[in-house]
Amino acid sequence: AQSVTQLGSHVSVSEGALVLLRCNYSSSVPPYLFWYVQYPNQGLQLLLKYTSAATLVKGINGFEAEFKKSETSFHLTKPSAHMSDAAEYFCAVSESGANSKLTFGKGITLSVRP
Amino acid sequence: DSGVTQTPKHLITATGQRVTLRCSPRSGDLSVYWYQQSLDQGLQFLIQYYNGEERAKGNILERFSAQQFPDLHSELNLSSLELGDSALYFCASSVGVSKNIQYFGAGTRLSVL
């Protein structure tokens, strides 16, 4: 069975500071990994995805994530936070194969201080 | 705009009632997924349809059912509603069955009073 752990429910950074949101996964088969962002009263928007190609994945809005198999991690980073990055971020895993349902972590709320 | 349309945006109803949530996938997408987002359970997969056929089932209650019609839109039916069914229900669509990105709609917020 697949699962995702996102440690902590809230991260606060200053504008211009590094953003680091952690995600660890568990999967019995090679995983596909995703980061989604949810702005208030909106749906989920895909930030980036890992599907067994390059381990360093670049996404939209300056975000990137690195797949580390040895650590079963897929942490999300952004060098310099912007006020508009304040949102809830979800890490999700999908097992390669016929069933592509997403299993989500509990989400992390990112606050950006001026 | 993801291209996935969900109606209605908000739904307020009473316990014991039945409601229908509707989802229109992106043009060309054959797979539709339903997810429930609640404060205590987080985001949970309910059910997937591909080209009209049920493909996968998750933590969907027996009181809930879904279908995908020939025009590929999908409906999620929730019956005998309980207070605990209050949640945000998302629909997502993708081109195929697997390995594809899922695009999410804005969700239907259900409040059961």
Side-chain angles (χ1 to χ4, degrees):
Chain A
Q2 56 197 33
S3 66
V4 171
T5 300
Q6 293 183 252
L7 288 178
S9 59
H10 187 225
V11 169
S12 180
V13 301
S14 297
E15 193 172 18
L18 171 72
V19 175
L20 170 60
L21 303 180
R22 299 179 188 275
C23 171
N24 289 88
Y25 70 91
S26 171
S27 177
S28 56
V29 299
Y32 296 141
L33 294 159
F34 306 82
W35 275 98
Y36 281 86
V37 60
Q38 184 179 26
Y39 297 102
N41 300 314
Q42 293 188 29
L44 294 156
Q45 180 182 4
L46 181 71
L47 277 178
L48 48 80
K49 65 182 174 94
Y50 166 78
T51 56
S52 75
T55 56
L56 182 61
V57 181
K58 293 189 184 301
I60 62 171
N61 301 338
F63 284 94
E64 62 181 38
E66 186 172 8
F67 172 70
K68 291 187 177 180
K69 185 178 177 181
S70 60
E71 299 177 8
T72 60
S73 68
F74 190 58
H75 302 330
L76 181 71
T77 61
K78 182 173 180 177
S80 176
H82 192 271
M83 297 296 290
S84 61
D85 294 327
E88 190 159 16
Y89 291 79
F90 293 91
C91 182
V93 64
S94 171
E95 293 186 344
S96 56
N99 181 0
S100 57
K101 69 168 187 177
L102 291 171
T103 297
F104 286 90
K106 291 193 178 299
I108 297 175
T109 299
L110 175 66
S111 299
V112 182
R113 304 184 300 272
Chain B
D1 183 2
S2 67
V4 179
T5 304
Q6 288 188 250
T7 56
K9 287 193 186 334
H10 302 278
L11 205 45
I12 301 174
T13 188
T15 54
Q17 294 299 303
R18 181 179 190 274
V19 297
T20 298
L21 282 52
R22 183 188 169 102
C23 169
S24 294
R26 292 189 324 151
S27 176
D29 284 359
L30 298 178
S31 262
V32 169
Y33 309 76
W34 287 96
Y35 293 85
Q36 180 193 57
Q37 185 179 33
S38 62
L39 283 175
D40 52 345
Q41 298 290 330
L43 262 164
Q44 292 214 309
F45 167 73
L46 295 178
I47 197 164
Q48 176 196 4
Y49 279 83
Y50 175 75
N51 204 19
E53 302 273 334
E54 182 183 303
R55 193 74 186 197
K57 228 170 184 176
N59 298 322
I60 187 165
L61 300 170
E62 284 191 14
R63 299 183 285 109
F64 296 1
S65 65
Q67 54 184 327
Q68 186 180 26
F69 294 86
D71 67 352
L72 300 178
H73 91 272
S74 177
E75 292 181 356
L76 179 66
N77 300 297
L78 316 176
S79 62
S80 302
L81 285 168
E82 302 174 0
L83 295 178
D85 297 327
S86 297
L88 196 49
Y89 291 85
F90 285 112
C91 168
S93 73
S94 67
V95 171
V97 175
S98 64
K99 305 183 186 180
N100 298 122
I101 295 170
Q102 293 181 31
Y103 294 89
F104 282 75
T108 293
R109 183 169 295 281
L110 174 66
S111 298
V112 182
L113 305 178

